[in-house]
RNA sequence: UGCCUGAUAGUAUAAUGGUAGUACGACGGUUUUUGGUACCGUUUGUCUAGGUUCGAAUCCUGGUCGGGCAACCA
């Protein structure tokens, strides 16, 4: 164990267990999603924790689908979950399903009935809720609680055989109706659902509840450390009770605080709503905090793993600043993304003293962060260039290191130019900038002796290719939409997507590949959208560059 | 008015009775053919009131504040 970083509280538990010789030092974790939605960045935290723990302690991790509620689940979700876990860079030991254990779990239930620890209850959901009492008043037993073992056995078999409609009966644990912990007031173990299951089909019409499936599945797999989020703390006594009564492998549950990210929502229910109501395009809309959305946005697996490492693991409720996620992707992409030039908001710049029709080939390294620049590429230079509109000002303020009449800048990997003049249209908009270039200032063999403060990017007008660019901003206008009054959707950011139809890009960008990040110099990191075509290139902005220039 | 949890800079996270540290952010500077990167520096913290102790973020007691729990969801 490295001494470099201190351990989080779960690592401490694991190390204590190993030191104590528990489970012969074996570590087996599991990642247990319900296949009822797409994975999001919060799941990434759990994935990194579970798989990371196993990697660190020579253990393994199972991927187990908690598929005990057929009406909400689907193979579409199973497939996406597998893809996302793999993409994040993890390999599971076994792909398992709670539904694989339905026979076994049924036997567990029968065993408890035989011991008088479970009974069939004919009450309605409302009646059961009422009989449970309140946090301050104990619950009251009903007539069904005292049914004989034989009757319960028969009734439960009949439930399984499909003799009753949905809701007619449930199987309950006979525990303690006065327990201060509401979860112990005779919790439901099985309910009737005549529903088609995505894996078991119509084989079953009764399905176990979470509390009678999760711990049992853990035990069947001999999971040593079952990690879940804080809201399951009150379930732990039940988790332990069932395992204890059944005499099965004693998996242990430990709880950590789930990830909350500001300016977004993280519940599957809310994310589903954003999709179905059309507030976003799909589950993998680049504005979504889903793994697939982040992937399409241009986030890398390494950056997400790094993020999960940095946020830490503790029991305190937290709200992580999305700025940290952005830091992680910038840090990664800065080292890997090739640099290219693209002008998002173009204005024409004419070099009045440059020969008409002449074309020069300029060179630029792919990545200045790499030792050898990661190689270089060529791009054409000519008399007319597209430059960024914001790189020119009619009345430049004091520390404006760009263009304005009389000011000089360097064109990246090309010449220094001086702004002489500009042209306006009838509405007063600047339409053209006239500059003269300094022939002796060519990049690579500059003998001008002139130093300029600013360097701007450009694209040669006759050689430029075009692309569509999509700029994304935070999905919500407030840090925590679900804590605000009213509907969380009232706080959606109306400007979360800004589509720029025509952007001028240097010719080489026409060869961009999907999934390969690129930095548009001075503008940010971009990646080709998964639905981009050769006819119509579409780039997504992953994240802006940090902007240290404060106007004013 | 029940039970369970938690509380350390703006945000996270360490310190496990012995110098409150790290990261991100913010601010300032150096370098720079990206106002990026890199590097340097500055800034801000133990919820509260008592107690134990030579010594408390840490242990004890009371309080305050936050989160969770009464789905045939997970």
């Amino acid at each position: 164990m490295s001494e470099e970083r201190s351990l989080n509280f779960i690592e401490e538990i694991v190390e204590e267990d190993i030191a104590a010789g528990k489970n012969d030092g074996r570590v087996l974790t599991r990642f247990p999603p319900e296949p009822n939605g797409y994975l999001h960045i919060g799941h990434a935290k759990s994935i990194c924790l579970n798989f990371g723990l196993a990697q660190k302690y020579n253990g393994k991790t199972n991927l187990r689908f908690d598929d005990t509620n057929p009406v909400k689940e689907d193979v579409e979700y199973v497939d996406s979950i597998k893809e996302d876990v793999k993409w994040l860079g993890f390999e599971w030991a076994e792909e398992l399903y709670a539904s694989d254990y339905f026979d076994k779990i049924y036997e567990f239930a029968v065993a408890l009935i035989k011991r008088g620890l479970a009974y069939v209850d004919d009450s309605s959901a409302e009646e059961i809720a009422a009989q449970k009492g309140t946090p301050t008043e104990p619950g009251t037993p009903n007539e069904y609680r005292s049914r004989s073992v034989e009757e319960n056995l028969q009734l439960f078999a009949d439930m399984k055989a499909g003799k009753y409609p949905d809701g007619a009966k449930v199987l309950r644990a006979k525990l303690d109706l006065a327990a201060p912990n509401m979860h112990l007031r005779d919790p439901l173990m099985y309910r009737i659902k005549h529903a088609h299951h995505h894996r078991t089909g119509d084989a079953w019409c009764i399905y176990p509840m979470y509390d009678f499936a999760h711990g049992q599945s853990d035990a069947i797999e001999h999971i040593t450390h079952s990690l879940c989020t804080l809201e399951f703390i009150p379930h732990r006594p039940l988790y332990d009770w069932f395992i204890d009564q059944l005499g099965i492998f004693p998996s242990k549950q430990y709880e950590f605080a789930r990830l909350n990210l500001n300016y977004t929502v993280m519940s599957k229910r809310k994310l589903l709503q954003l999709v179905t109501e059309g507030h976003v395009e799909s589950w993998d809309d680049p504005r979504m905090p889903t793994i697939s959305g982040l992937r399409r946005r241009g986030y890398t697996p390494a950056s997400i793993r790094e993020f999960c490492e940095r946020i830490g693991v503790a029991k305190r409720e937290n709200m992580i600043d999305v700025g940290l996620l952005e830091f992680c992707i910038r840090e990664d992409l800065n080292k890997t993304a090739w640099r290219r030039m693209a002008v998002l908001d173009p204005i024409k710049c004419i070099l009045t003293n440059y020969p008409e029709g002449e074309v020069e080939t300029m060179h630029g390294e792919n990545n200045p962060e790499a030792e050898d620049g990661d190689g270089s590429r060529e791009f054409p230079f000519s008399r007319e260039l597209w430059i960024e509109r914001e790189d020119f000002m009619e009345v430049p303020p004091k520390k404006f290191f760009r263009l304005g009449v009389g000011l000089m800048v360097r064109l990246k990997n090309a010449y220094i130019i001086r702004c002489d003049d500009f042209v306006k249209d009838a509405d007063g908009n600047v339409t053209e900038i006239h500059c003269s270039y300094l022939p002796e200032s060519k990049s690579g063999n500059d003998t001008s002796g002139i130093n300029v403060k600013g360097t701007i990017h450009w694209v040669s007008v006759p050689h430029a290719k075009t692309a569509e660019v999509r700029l994304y901003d935070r999905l919500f206008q407030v840090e925590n939409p679900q804590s605000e009054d009213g509907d969380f959707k009232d706080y959606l950011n109306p400007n979360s997507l800004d589509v720029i139809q025509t952007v001028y890009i240097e010719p080489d960008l026409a060869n961009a590949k999907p999934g390969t990040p690129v930095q548009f110099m001075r503008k940010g990191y971009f990646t080709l959208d998964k639905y981009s075509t050769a006819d119509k290139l579409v780039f997504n902005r992953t994240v802006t560059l940090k902007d240290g220039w404060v106007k004013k």
Side-chain angles (χ1 to χ4, degrees):
Chain A
M1 307 324 89
S2 86
E3 299 295 323
E4 280 194 11
R5 256 176 29 83
S6 53
L7 305 175
N8 64 48
F9 80 99
I10 292 177
E11 290 170 329
E12 277 182 14
I13 290 168
V14 171
E15 293 204 357
E16 281 167 21
D17 287 349
I18 291 173
K22 204 169 164 188
N23 302 311
D24 302 319
R26 187 178 58 90
V27 174
L28 212 214
T29 58
R30 102 269 90 115
F31 173 60
E34 181 187 15
N36 66 343
Y38 282 66
L39 259 28
H40 53 63
I41 184 80
H43 293 106
K45 175 178 181 176
S46 173
I47 291 168
C48 291
L49 213 208
N50 278 294
F51 283 89
L53 210 55
Q55 281 174 0
K56 182 166 182 175
Y57 298 105
N58 295 313
K60 288 178 177 174
T61 305
N62 287 342
L63 172 62
R64 183 172 74 234
F65 292 94
D66 226 339
D67 55 350
T68 57
N69 186 1
V71 301
K72 292 167 80 176
E73 298 154 6
D74 196 275
V75 285
E76 173 196 353
Y77 300 124
V78 170
D79 294 341
S80 76
I81 288 168
K82 287 162 63 176
E83 181 186 3
D84 289 347
V85 174
K86 269 189 233 166
W87 179 77
L88 278 174
F90 297 105
E91 278 180 42
W92 50 86
E94 292 188 76
E95 175 185 336
L96 302 165
Y97 296 79
S99 54
D100 293 341
Y101 311 135
F102 281 171
D103 284 311
K104 213 160 214 167
I105 294 171
Y106 180 83
E107 287 169 25
F108 287 155
V110 169
L112 290 186
I113 293 173
K114 285 181 176 165
R115 294 185 48 209
L117 294 173
Y119 63 99
V120 173
D121 192 327
D122 300 3
S123 309
S124 68
E126 296 70 32
E127 287 166 340
I128 288 177
Q131 289 160 5
K132 272 196 181 176
T134 68
T136 50
E137 303 163 57
T140 48
N142 59 31
E143 55 189 298
Y144 310 111
R145 196 170 199 265
S146 50
R147 283 215 255 236
S148 69
V149 167
E150 292 66 31
E151 189 182 4
N152 281 321
L153 247 18
Q154 185 58 52
L155 257 16
F156 188 50
D158 290 345
M159 279 170 63
K160 183 192 180 205
K163 290 196 180 174
Y164 309 108
D166 289 8
K169 288 178 166 48
V170 293
L171 182 72
R172 290 227 258 171
K174 191 188 284 188
L175 235 159
D176 180 3
L177 282 168
N181 179 345
M182 298 294 291
H183 292 278
L184 264 26
R185 320 251 265 226
D186 285 12
L188 270 62
M189 295 163 62
Y190 267 93
R191 77 290 216 189
I192 301 171
K193 271 182 198 284
H194 290 271
H196 188 81
H197 187 281
H198 64 100
R199 298 196 87 239
T200 59
D202 300 313
W204 294 84
C205 65
I206 59 171
Y207 293 92
M209 300 286 291
Y210 167 85
D211 284 313
F212 199 62
H214 201 100
Q216 289 54 46
S217 303
D218 286 341
I220 290 168
E221 295 172 22
H222 286 211
I223 299 295
T224 57
H225 303 265
S226 179
L227 313 178
C228 61
T229 47
L230 256 27
E231 65 269 28
F232 289 98
I233 289 178
H235 294 252
R236 195 195 324 134
L238 230 202
Y239 180 101
D240 291 336
W241 188 82
F242 277 131
I243 282 180
D244 193 39
Q245 295 300 328
L246 260 12
I248 51 183
F249 182 83
S251 298
K252 291 293 175 194
Q253 170 181 308
Y254 302 96
E255 311 86 6
F256 62 94
R258 67 168 352 122
L259 165 67
N260 294 296
L261 244 200
N262 59 9
Y263 299 105
T264 191
V265 290
M266 209 71 98
S267 89
K268 280 191 201 168
R269 209 193 98 250
K270 291 193 173 69
L271 294 174
L272 177 64
Q273 222 176 316
L274 293 177
V275 175
T276 54
E277 294 177 15
H279 300 288
V280 296
E281 191 183 295
S282 54
W283 279 101
D284 67 353
D285 186 299
R287 292 167 292 181
M288 291 281 271
T290 50
I291 303 296
S292 50
L294 291 166
R295 174 167 60 230
R296 190 169 162 199
R297 172 88 168 246
Y299 275 79
T300 60
S303 70
I304 294 174
R305 279 188 254 116
E306 174 68 15
F307 172 73
C308 291
E309 189 68 34
R310 282 173 179 265
I311 58 177
V313 179
K315 298 189 83 139
R316 172 164 46 137
E317 305 281 342
N318 59 75
M319 175 69 78
I320 308 286
D321 193 319
V322 68
L324 183 62
L325 220 208
E326 296 179 344
F327 166 82
C328 292
I329 187 61
R330 285 194 189 104
E331 186 189 42
D332 183 359
L333 262 24
N334 176 51
K335 295 195 195 84
T336 56
W338 280 4
R339 272 58 167 174
R340 291 295 182 265
M341 294 196 282
V343 178
L344 306 195
D345 184 14
I347 186 168
K348 194 175 280 186
C349 174
I350 299 175
L351 306 180
T352 52
N353 61 339
Y354 195 87
E356 237 166 295
E358 181 159 330
V359 176
E360 279 181 85
T361 297
M362 302 302 183
H363 305 265
E365 51 190 357
N366 287 320
N367 186 347
E369 297 299 309
E371 280 290 317
D372 57 352
D374 233 359
S376 67
R377 90 287 186 186
E378 301 181 335
F379 39 93
F381 180 86
S382 69
R383 187 170 189 268
E384 296 195 356
L385 310 170
W386 293 118
I387 65 170
E388 213 69 60
R389 182 172 290 274
E390 64 175 17
D391 286 339
F392 171 84
M393 284 186 90
E394 273 188 74
V395 188
K398 265 228 151 43
K399 297 237 174 145
F400 189 69
F401 305 141
R402 309 181 202 176
L403 290 174
V405 173
L407 299 181
M408 294 193 291
V409 296
R410 170 168 301 276
L411 294 171
K412 178 71 185 175
N413 294 127
Y415 299 97
I416 291 174
I417 59 171
R418 177 191 294 109
C419 178
D420 304 315
D421 198 7
F422 60 93
V423 179
K424 276 185 178 182
D425 65 13
D427 301 326
N429 300 312
V430 179
T431 56
E432 217 171 74
I433 297 167
H434 293 172
C435 297
S436 39
Y437 84 111
L438 279 53
E440 68 281 11
S441 67
K442 185 168 177 176
S443 190
N445 46 6
D446 182 351
T447 57
S448 71
I450 295 175
N451 271 320
V452 291
K453 273 285 210 179
T455 300
I456 64 172
H457 59 282
W458 54 273
V459 176
S460 168
V461 171
H463 306 93
K465 307 272 195 217
T466 61
E468 176 181 308
V469 156
R470 297 178 187 166
L471 308 179
Y472 301 101
D473 197 359
R474 42 188 58 147
L475 236 193
F476 288 89
Q477 297 172 288
V478 295
E479 282 207 41
N480 190 358
Q482 67 180 18
S483 75
E484 300 285 339
D485 292 332
D487 190 346
F488 76 101
K489 296 190 297 300
D490 294 343
Y491 301 92
L492 279 162
N493 174 8
N495 305 313
S496 59
L497 170 62
D498 180 11
V499 178
I500 305 179
Q501 295 295 343
T502 307
V503 154
Y504 294 110
I505 59 178
E506 66 169 86
D508 183 70
L509 275 174
N511 304 317
K513 291 184 186 63
T516 304
V518 58
Q519 182 193 107
F520 289 179
M521 296 191 86
R522 304 208 299 141
K523 295 274 85 177
Y525 294 100
F526 291 75
T527 195
L528 207 61
D529 188 73
K530 66 193 279 199
Y531 299 116
S532 177
T533 62
D535 292 340
K536 188 192 175 193
L537 297 173
V538 177
F539 286 94
N540 293 321
R541 184 176 69 194
T542 308
V543 67
T544 60
L545 255 29
K546 204 168 129 190
D547 189 0
W549 187 59
V550 280
K551 297 174 189 170
K552 168 74 205 145

